[in-house]
Amino acid sequence: MNILNFINGKFVNPINNEWLENYNPSSGEVYSQIPNSSKEDVEEAYKSAKSAFMQWSQTTFEERSRILINISELLETNLQQFAEAESLDNGKPISLAKSVDIPRAASNFRFFGNAITQFASESHESVGQNAINYTLRQPIGVVGCISPWNLPLYLFTWKIAPALAAGNCVVAKPSEVTPMTAFLLGEICIEAGLPKGVLNIVHGLGTTTGQAIIEHPDIKAISFTGGTGTGAHIAKVAAPMFKKLSLELGGKNPNIIFADCDYEDMLNTTVRSSFANQGQICLCGSRIFVEASIYEKFKADFVDKVKALKVGHPSEKDTNIGALVSKPHLEKVKAYITIAKEENGTILCGGNEVTVQGYENGYYLEPTVIEVPNDECRVNQEEIFGPVVTIMPFNTEDEVLQMANKVKYGLSATLWTNDLKRTMRLSNQLQAGIVWVNTWMMRDLRTPFGGVKASGVGREGGFEALRFFTEAKNVCIKY
Ligand code: NAD
């Protein structure tokens, strides 16, 4: 099946008729073609968004809310089809797509459909000056949304839903590696009653299609999730045009385990926070630091649990670890395992490719645990973004805090302890946008989400996202 662009409410071929191959990572086979959209396609998408803007921005918030909730319900109705498509495109276990990715995409639309009805503007009376100020929250116009491959529909809709709720029209590009569910979303939007041109989806490479979006002088805001290098490039391109930017970038998150934690809960959650989605979640706790007094016990128990994970075809019910997203990504992750050995790391388990019967060309890798000799080695500093974690012991709170913060990233941190004072001290001092204590990846969509340092600029989630997708205009009236 060929994937097509969705522009002005219609599915269309790319103008230059250039196509890319789309791979099924679980079998290594090409299974569809996708447009490699050019500047001209992006211009068409922009024009369509621009002509829809006047009407959409004036649509009542009840109406916008109703349409977004319709989209949410249609995603729920089509859960099976979307989960299968996501799993086929990305290699993730279908059980995960069905329980996490697609339900969350539906929640994104429901949440922002509701949130917009509560998004109030402020007013300030200037007492003693006979004046009143009020703040208008106006949609920006045409905005760009660019998303990565690891949580395809989940992150694509995390941007689109608030952008639309706030009254903007959108030119959006999913990752060229996982375009399928974004393609299917077009049909749902038509059925939900979204007016044509309000959402336009263009497919293609970052360097062609993505570049055309970020360079477009009249796309005034870009919400981007992806790699830190790409984020820096976007910031550079966007700066002379003074575009508003939200950049959600890479991570190398510490998972800090103290001896006083609830051990079984920590152990089970740590397996998940290390290897969920083949370790391809920006929030995965890929650096595990364990208090020395329980280090040897943890090491043995953790390795036993990791060895028991089943690497298999994404469609099989008992598969824990599916396929990595692409051949180049598999090669990148494997290269880090070689680097770990060169740096005197010890591979405690995993490290090898897996052949799944019947799918011999799929991109499967064993979940891998590396004991590292120090925290400064490359595998402990650079984002691997695969089923690979490092572990090492620590002795004191100060020591682990220093190691946790001594990376260029600052997305999330996880802390396992029952000591309240320690929790308060460390949560304050960890350099991260999100700190989880005695849990991982528990998300409440009202809360701010984002990173510090090389993990990004800006916050998404709740009213933060609606603030990003609006311009605040203050009006001061003297009476
Ligand atoms: P990537 O940066 O290669 O690509 C992300 C998106 O940007 C894709 O759609 C790509 O086509 C596009 N792109 C690439 N070059 C572009 C350019 N010059 N102009 C415009 N768009 C361009 O990232 P990826 O490999 O798809 O995703 C993995 C990365 O995403 C990891 O670093 C991961 O940590 C990060 N990530 C971050 C979060 C977060 O919330 N902070 C969430 C998920 C993933």
Side-chain angles (χ1 to χ4, degrees):
M1 184 215 287
N2 274 3
I3 284 172
L4 299 174
N5 287 334
F6 181 63
I7 298 178
N8 206 22
K10 293 200 178 73
F11 290 96
V12 292
N13 285 322
I15 294 168
N16 61 8
N17 210 26
E18 240 187 62
W19 300 86
L20 305 166
E21 292 182 326
N22 185 27
Y23 285 82
N24 169 355
S26 67
S27 67
E29 286 160 6
V30 173
Y31 81 105
S32 71
Q33 306 285 322
I34 80 161
N36 188 19
S37 305
S38 61
K39 246 183 165 158
E40 289 70 36
D41 298 294
V42 169
E43 185 57 29
E44 284 304 303
Y46 166 75
K47 279 194 211 147
S48 147
K50 170 107 176 99
S51 60
F53 178 67
M54 189 58 84
Q55 195 192 339
W56 182 246
S57 59
Q58 294 304 312
T59 302
T60 62
F61 64 81
E62 287 100 332
E63 177 64 1
R64 270 185 252 152
S65 170
R66 190 185 66 76
I67 293 172
L68 293 194
I69 290 170
N70 280 350
I71 298 175
S72 164
E73 285 169 357
L74 284 165
L75 282 172
E76 281 163 353
T77 310
N78 293 284
L79 172 67
Q80 184 67 24
Q81 181 204 11
F82 272 78
E84 280 171 15
E86 201 72 297
S87 167
L88 191 69
D89 222 16
N90 173 278
K92 66 179 68 205
I94 190 162
S95 53
L96 190 70
K98 216 169 160 179
S99 60
V100 176
D101 291 76
I102 309 307
R104 172 56 191 275
S107 294
N108 289 339
F109 282 107
R110 188 183 305 281
F111 176 81
F112 284 108
N114 285 318
I116 196 61
T117 68
Q118 306 296 319
F119 187 48
S121 59
E122 307 136 34
S123 69
H124 304 273
E125 189 181 4
S126 302
V127 177
Q129 294 178 297
N130 286 356
I132 185 141
N133 291 271
Y134 63 89
T135 308
L136 293 172
R137 285 266 165 198
Q138 299 180 313
I140 295 169
V142 178
V143 300
C145 298
I146 301 177
S147 57
W149 49 257
N150 65 320
L151 300 167
L153 195 67
Y154 177 130
L155 289 174
F156 192 62
T157 56
W158 179 233
K159 300 176 174 308
I160 289 169
L164 297 178
N168 301 283
C169 292
V170 175
V171 175
K173 189 192 96 60
S175 168
E176 61 275 26
V177 188
T178 53
M180 188 54 90
T181 46
F183 170 56
L184 297 175
L185 181 68
E187 200 62 59
I188 295 272
C189 288
I190 297 173
E191 208 181 325
L194 190 72
K196 64 180 187 179
V198 171
L199 172 63
N200 304 275
I201 302 169
V202 281
H203 297 273
L205 294 174
T207 44
T208 52
T209 319
Q211 186 71 22
I213 295 174
I214 63 171
E215 279 178 351
H216 197 292
D218 297 315
I219 296 180
K220 295 291 186 198
I222 303 286
S223 175
F224 169 80
T225 300
T228 292
T230 316
H233 170 76
I234 292 174
K236 226 170 167 177
V237 172
M241 290 175 275
F242 304 102
K243 286 180 197 264
K244 213 172 174 187
L245 290 183
S246 171
L247 303 173
E248 300 291 343
L249 310 177
K252 188 76 183 174
N253 312 304
N255 180 7
I256 304 170
I257 299 166
F258 283 91
D260 70 341
C261 69
D262 292 337
Y263 189 82
E264 283 306 311
D265 191 13
M266 173 280 293
L267 190 61
N268 291 325
T269 307
T270 295
V271 173
R272 205 163 54 81
S273 68
S274 303
F275 299 113
N277 205 38
Q278 296 70 246
Q280 302 167 142
I281 301 181
C282 54
L283 303 164
C284 279
S286 51
R287 292 183 293 148
I288 305 176
F289 299 103
V290 188
E291 193 165 10
S293 60
I294 59 162
Y295 182 70
E296 289 303 325
K297 175 175 168 48
F298 171 82
K299 190 164 106 178
D301 293 344
F302 184 58
V303 166
D304 276 354
K305 288 220 176 247
V306 175
K307 280 183 177 163
L309 293 173
K310 187 191 160 204
V311 180
H313 192 265
S315 67
E316 281 168 19
K317 280 206 178 96
D318 58 347
T319 289
N320 302 113
I321 311 269
L324 269 67
V325 75
S326 68
K327 182 83 176 157
H329 188 59
L330 172 69
E331 295 305 329
K332 176 192 147 182
V333 176
K334 276 169 47 193
Y336 272 106
I337 296 172
T338 307
I339 291 169
K341 291 175 189 160
E342 288 163 3
E343 292 179 318
N344 298 321
T346 307
I347 312 294
L348 299 176
C349 66
N352 301 305
E353 274 189 70
V354 177
T355 304
V356 173
Q357 221 187 345
Y359 305 97
E360 286 76 8
N361 295 322
Y363 317 133
Y364 300 96
L365 186 67
E366 289 173 335
T368 303
V369 181
I370 305 167
E371 185 174 48
V372 285
N374 60 66
D375 67 302
E376 288 182 349
C377 52
R378 281 183 64 191
V379 287
N380 224 41
Q381 291 288 319
E382 298 174 18
E383 188 185 39
I384 301 175
F385 212 55
V388 177
V389 289
T390 65
I391 68 168
M392 63 175 289
F394 68 87
N395 290 300
T396 66
E397 190 181 306
D398 281 351
E399 181 197 3
V400 76
L401 177 65
Q402 269 202 30
M403 292 193 293
N405 285 342
K406 209 166 43 168
V407 288
K408 69 174 183 176
Y409 298 105
L411 188 54
S412 72
T414 302
L415 187 56
W416 290 95
T417 179
N418 278 313
D419 181 329
L420 179 62
K421 288 179 185 164
R422 176 192 282 150
T423 299
M424 302 303 285
R425 277 193 302 271
L426 286 181
S427 320
N428 264 328
Q429 294 176 82
L430 281 163
Q431 295 168 353
I434 303 139
V435 178
W436 278 295
V437 182
N438 299 331
T439 183
W440 176 73
M441 218 176 152
M442 187 180 271
R443 292 281 296 119
D444 180 325
L445 302 193
R446 294 168 300 181
T447 60
F449 179 92
V452 298
K453 305 197 299 194
S455 290
V457 178
R459 291 293 177 272
E460 299 184 340
F463 290 156
E464 299 281 346
L466 295 176
R467 283 187 200 108
F468 174 76
F469 282 116
T470 50
E471 289 289 6
K473 180 193 283 176
N474 193 66
V475 180
C476 175
I477 302 177
K478 178 126 169 74
Y479 56 86

